[in-house]
């Protein structure tokens, strides 16, 4: 009787709602509820610079969506056909099926040209966003422990994004992209011993062959995006796992995060920001034409398009090659083209230093602690100066990559531009390094004066004895905290070379190098001492305070 009575209420209640039953079914197999409960209320700080990473992610999503649409109409074939489409100036010309299908997408597929433009502009925004995002991470020290691996993931995304962009704009097989492929083939041929074999393997024979577009197509839509998607997921997982960095402020420590929960606040803002990014890219695509292949024409190996320039993110490597003297060495009947090979090695070396910089700085400073509070760039003057010098080097070489356009547009000598870039490649980064470091130290001195004397109010006051002074307003506690929250690092030292028993130990070359580099980072003249509490109290007591 009791069992029947206990079962009666369950019969009267009936089945649970369909949505609840689906949720229970999914949770029982995937553990969604516990996963969501642990992560959906995760706190994220709110600062405009953190949106740079979101711009990258949203533009990548736009690239994938528009790329899927374009694959429905693109034919990755180098088979030669005669054009009879709607674009009259090209009618009757011989071209590859790849070029023909791209022209058809632009003029005959509904919305095809806009989708092409969105796809290309989103790729440009994606790479630009990654570069600026990495600079934000670099200048604020967000790459320090425990985020060194995440820095490597971001760096690989940037490099793979560059090569994905290169393979992408090569697919239409137009005269501009064909010139870029020819440039790449020349760079491959300059590699000693294996260059010829690599070129034959890539092109399936002599340049240009018949397979390169189909191979680039597979690389562009499958291999590189798949790797990048995996890296991006891993990057976001580590962001969740390590928790987000934050700028110094009241109540913010290495052990907490001050901000808004992921749901519903952050997700609502992120969703709106996605459509804002999509709208801006769509507006750019509708207003400004990029890569008008119908004006350039199909690729022919015996022609080079005028104004053939690489995309801006490849201008660094092209600038290195354009300014390099045409050095060659003939050994045992083989020619080593140093004029191309050396710039490629320099390009690879610069990228390698970018990749491992977090480990270099950690070794120099000896700092093995976890860091979740960001630096203000002015408080790390040597690191900030290095970043500014790298940007200066990039822009100088970008000028070299377009030396012919600078010459024609500004009526300059191309030889003068080349020599300017050759000299500037070494001189400009050093000059920018020195100037940036001095600016950072000057800003540190200004912060010190603000802490001790307050902010200048612009109010002039005359004292009884006739002296004119400017009244200073005291800073708030929040402002004082922001200006004094940074750490004052001390340079690493070699230490005593003789122990208590008088036995001299051998100092290795790496120890000496580390001590010198650490001195260059944090030694005298590389940071301004923060005001002490005693100095602040003395000023507050009225001694010297206006």
């Amino acid at each position: 009787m009791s069992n029947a009575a206990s079962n009666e209420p369950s019969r009267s209640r009936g089945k649970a709602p369909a949505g609840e039953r689906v949720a229970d079914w999914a949770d029982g197999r995937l553990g969604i509820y516990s996963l969501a409960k642990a992560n959906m209320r995760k706190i994220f700080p709110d600062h405009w610079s953190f949106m740079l990473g979101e711009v990258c992610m949203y533009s990548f999503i736009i690239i994938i969506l528009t790329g899927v649409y374009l694959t429905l109409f693109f034919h990755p074939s180098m088979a030669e056909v005669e054009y009879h489409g709607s674009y009259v100036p090209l009618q009757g010309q011989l071209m590859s099926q790849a070029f023909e299908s791209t022209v058809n997408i632009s003029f005959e597929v509904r919305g095809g040209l806009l989708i092409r433009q969105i796809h290309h502009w989103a790729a440009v925004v994606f790479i630009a966003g990654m570069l600026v995002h990495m600079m934000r991470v670099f200048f604020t020290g967000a790459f320090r422990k425990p985020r060194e691996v995440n820095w490597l993931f971001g760096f690989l995304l940037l490099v793979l994004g560059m090569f994905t962009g290169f393979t992408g704009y090569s697919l239409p097989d137009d005269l501009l992209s064909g010139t870029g492929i020819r440039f790449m083939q020349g760079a491959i041929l300059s590699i000693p011993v294996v260059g010829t074999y690599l070129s034959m393997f890539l092109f399936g024979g002599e340049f240009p062959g018949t397979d390169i577009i189909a191979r680039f197509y597979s690389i562009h839509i499958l291999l590189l995006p798949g790797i990048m998607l995996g890296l991006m997921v891993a990057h976001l997982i580590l962001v969740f796992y390590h928790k987000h960095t934050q700028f110094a402020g009241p109540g913010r420590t290495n052990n907490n995060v001050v901000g808004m929960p992921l749901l519903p606040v952050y997700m609502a803002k992120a969703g709106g920001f996605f459509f804002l990014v999509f709208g801006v890219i769509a507006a750019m695509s509708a207003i400004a034409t990029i890569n008008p292949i119908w004006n350039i024409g199909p690729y022919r190996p015996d022609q080079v398009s005028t104004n053939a320039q690489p995309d801006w993110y490849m201008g660094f490597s092209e600038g290195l090659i354009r300014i390099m003297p045409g050095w060659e060495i003939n050994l045992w009947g083989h020619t080593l083209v140093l004029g191309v090979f050396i710039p490629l090695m320099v390009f690879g070396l610069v990228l390698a230093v970018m990749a491992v910089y977090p480990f270099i700085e950690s070794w120099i400073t000896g700092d093995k602690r976890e860091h979740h509070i960001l630096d203000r760039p002015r408080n790390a003057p040597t690191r900030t100066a290095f970043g500014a010098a790298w940007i200066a080097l990039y822009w100088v070489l970008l000028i070299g990559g377009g030396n012919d356009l600078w010459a024609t547009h500004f009526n300059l000598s191309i030889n003068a531009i080349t020599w300017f870039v050759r000299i500037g490649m070494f001189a400009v980064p050093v000059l920018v390094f020195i100037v940036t470091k001095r600016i950072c130290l000057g800003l540190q001195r200004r912060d010190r004066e603000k802490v001790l004397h307050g902010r200048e109010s612009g109010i002039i006051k005359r004292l009884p004895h006739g002296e004119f002074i400017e009244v200073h307003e005291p800073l708030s506690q929040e402002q004082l905290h922001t200006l004094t929250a940074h750490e004052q690092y001390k340079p690493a030292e070699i230490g005593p070379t003789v122990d208590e028993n008088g036995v001299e130990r051998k100092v290795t070359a790496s120890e000496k190098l580390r001590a010198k580099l650490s001195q260059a980072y944090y030694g005298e003249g590389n940071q301004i001492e923060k005001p002490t509490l005693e100095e602040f109290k003395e000023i507050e007591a009225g001694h010297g305070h206006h």
Side-chain angles (χ1 to χ4, degrees):
M1 183 68 179
S2 60
N3 289 340
S6 63
N7 290 334
E8 198 66 33
S10 63
R11 294 193 191 99
S12 62
R13 285 196 298 268
K15 294 183 177 180
E20 184 177 335
R21 283 186 283 123
V22 171
D24 288 340
W25 182 90
D27 184 55
R29 290 154 181 79
L30 304 175
I32 293 175
Y33 175 76
S34 57
L35 185 67
K37 185 178 181 181
N39 295 299
M40 290 300 100
R41 298 293 292 175
K42 189 175 182 67
I43 300 299
F44 281 85
D46 188 17
H47 191 271
W48 67 267
S49 65
F50 299 151
M51 294 191 295
L52 295 171
E54 294 181 46
V55 170
C56 303
M57 182 171 66
Y58 299 153
S59 56
F60 184 73
I61 294 172
I62 295 168
I63 292 170
I64 297 297
L65 294 176
T66 54
V68 169
Y69 184 83
L70 293 174
T71 57
L72 302 177
F73 307 99
F74 181 72
H75 300 291
S77 171
M78 298 181 71
E80 195 171 64
V81 296
E82 186 175 338
Y83 181 74
H84 297 289
S86 59
Y87 187 68
V88 175
L90 288 176
Q91 286 186 356
Q93 288 198 30
L94 295 178
M95 60 186 63
S96 66
Q97 285 188 345
F99 186 88
E100 181 193 38
S101 63
T102 308
V103 175
N104 289 338
I105 289 172
S106 302
F107 294 109
E108 298 180 20
V109 175
R110 187 179 295 274
L113 180 58
L114 179 61
I115 297 298
R116 264 198 69 220
Q117 298 290 290
I118 292 176
H119 187 73
H120 204 143
W121 273 115
V124 174
V125 171
F126 175 60
I127 298 175
M130 281 196 295
L131 185 61
V132 177
H133 176 61
M134 286 191 71
M135 289 297 99
R136 197 277 301 173
V137 171
F138 179 85
F139 286 121
T140 59
F143 56 80
R144 292 172 296 177
K145 184 181 177 182
R147 297 176 179 83
E148 301 98 330
V149 174
N150 226 10
W151 168 269
L152 287 176
F153 285 167
F155 170 79
L156 289 174
L157 278 169
L158 176 63
V159 174
L160 291 177
M162 292 166 57
F163 285 101
T164 306
F166 175 77
T167 56
Y169 72 66
S170 299
L171 291 181
D173 198 28
D174 60 293
L175 190 55
L176 176 62
S177 66
T179 304
I181 296 176
R182 188 68 187 240
F183 174 88
M184 180 199 70
Q185 192 242 2
I188 293 173
L189 288 176
S190 72
I191 301 175
V193 183
V194 298
T196 305
Y197 300 100
L198 289 175
S199 176
M200 296 289 285
F201 172 77
L202 181 63
F203 290 92
E206 293 289 342
F207 177 88
T210 58
D211 301 327
I212 190 63
I213 297 300
R215 293 180 179 184
F216 272 14
Y217 183 70
S218 300
I219 293 171
H220 181 72
I221 72 168
L222 291 175
L223 181 62
L224 294 179
I227 298 173
M228 292 174 68
L229 184 60
L231 286 172
M232 187 168 290
V233 171
H235 186 78
L236 294 175
I237 289 174
L238 287 180
V239 170
F240 262 79
Y241 177 72
H242 291 143
K243 74 184 181 182
H244 209 293
T245 54
Q246 57 187 345
F247 286 97
R252 298 174 183 176
T253 68
N254 272 315
N255 301 317
N256 70 352
V257 178
V258 178
M260 300 173 297
L262 180 63
L263 277 178
V265 180
Y266 196 83
M267 286 297 291
K269 295 178 66 174
F273 190 51
F274 168 78
F275 289 106
L276 178 62
V277 172
F278 203 154
V280 170
I281 292 177
M284 292 166 58
S285 306
I287 294 171
T289 302
I290 189 171
N291 199 20
I293 64 164
W294 52 90
N295 289 334
I296 302 170
Y299 177 66
R300 287 181 51 180
D302 60 336
Q303 292 184 358
V304 175
S305 66
T306 56
N307 294 340
Q309 302 295 318
D311 275 351
W312 63 269
Y313 47 85
M314 286 294 187
F316 183 91
S317 57
E318 173 122 352
L320 280 168
I321 290 179
R322 289 197 185 191
I323 66 170
M324 183 71 187
W327 294 344
E328 292 183 357
I329 297 179
N330 293 307
L331 297 173
W332 303 292
H334 298 279
T335 301
L336 182 60
V337 186
L338 298 179
V340 178
F341 182 65
I342 289 178
L344 289 180
M345 294 300 99
V346 173
F347 181 61
L349 179 63
V350 171
L351 292 179
V353 171
M354 284 180 61
V356 301
Y357 181 84
F359 305 96
I360 295 175
E361 182 172 310
S362 176
W363 176 73
I364 292 174
T365 62
D367 188 2
K368 306 300 180 183
R369 299 168 300 162
E370 289 194 3
H371 292 272
H372 303 290
I373 299 295
L374 298 173
D375 286 335
R376 299 174 78 201
R378 67 185 63 181
N379 294 327
T382 305
R383 180 204 301 150
T384 302
F386 271 128
W390 184 91
I391 294 173
L393 173 64
Y394 179 87
W395 282 106
V396 168
L397 291 176
L398 198 60
I399 294 174
N403 56 0
D404 52 339
L405 289 185
W406 284 91
T408 56
H409 282 66
F410 294 97
N411 196 25
L412 299 172
S413 165
I414 195 169
N415 290 328
I417 296 172
T418 301
W419 275 105
F420 166 78
V421 176
R422 285 176 179 174
I423 299 171
M425 174 183 171
F426 299 98
V428 172
V430 174
L431 182 63
V432 170
F433 179 90
I434 295 171
V435 172
T436 303
K437 193 171 182 180
R438 290 183 66 86
I439 290 173
C440 290
L441 293 173
L443 291 173
Q444 285 189 43
R445 291 188 183 93
R446 192 184 71 169
D447 289 345
R448 176 184 170 87
E449 290 299 313
K450 280 185 181 179
V451 171
L452 292 176
H453 300 289
R455 186 183 302 275
E456 297 173 352
S457 64
I459 300 173
I460 305 299
K461 180 180 179 182
R462 184 179 182 182
L463 299 180
H465 59 277
E467 179 186 1
F468 289 93
I469 62 169
E470 183 178 12
V471 177
H472 286 208
E473 298 175 352
L475 301 181
S476 65
Q477 289 298 315
E478 179 178 356
Q479 292 171 321
L480 288 172
H481 179 88
T482 301
L483 296 179
T484 57
H486 60 282
E487 297 183 66
Q488 296 268 254
Y489 292 97
K490 293 184 178 180
E493 298 178 352
I494 297 177
T497 57
V498 179
D499 62 16
E500 62 275 7
N501 299 319
V503 179
E504 185 175 357
R505 69 178 181 88
K506 183 179 180 181
V507 180
T508 63
S510 63
E511 285 183 286
K512 294 178 181 178
L513 177 62
R514 180 190 169 193
K516 290 181 179 179
L517 292 175
S518 183
Q519 187 71 25
Y521 263 74
Y522 302 122
E524 185 178 357
N526 289 283
Q527 56 183 347
I528 304 301
E529 291 293 329
K530 292 194 297 186
T532 63
L533 183 60
E534 290 73 20
E535 288 178 305
F536 182 75
K537 287 182 176 179
E538 182 181 357
I539 293 292
E540 285 293 297
H543 301 290
H545 180 63
H546 294 161

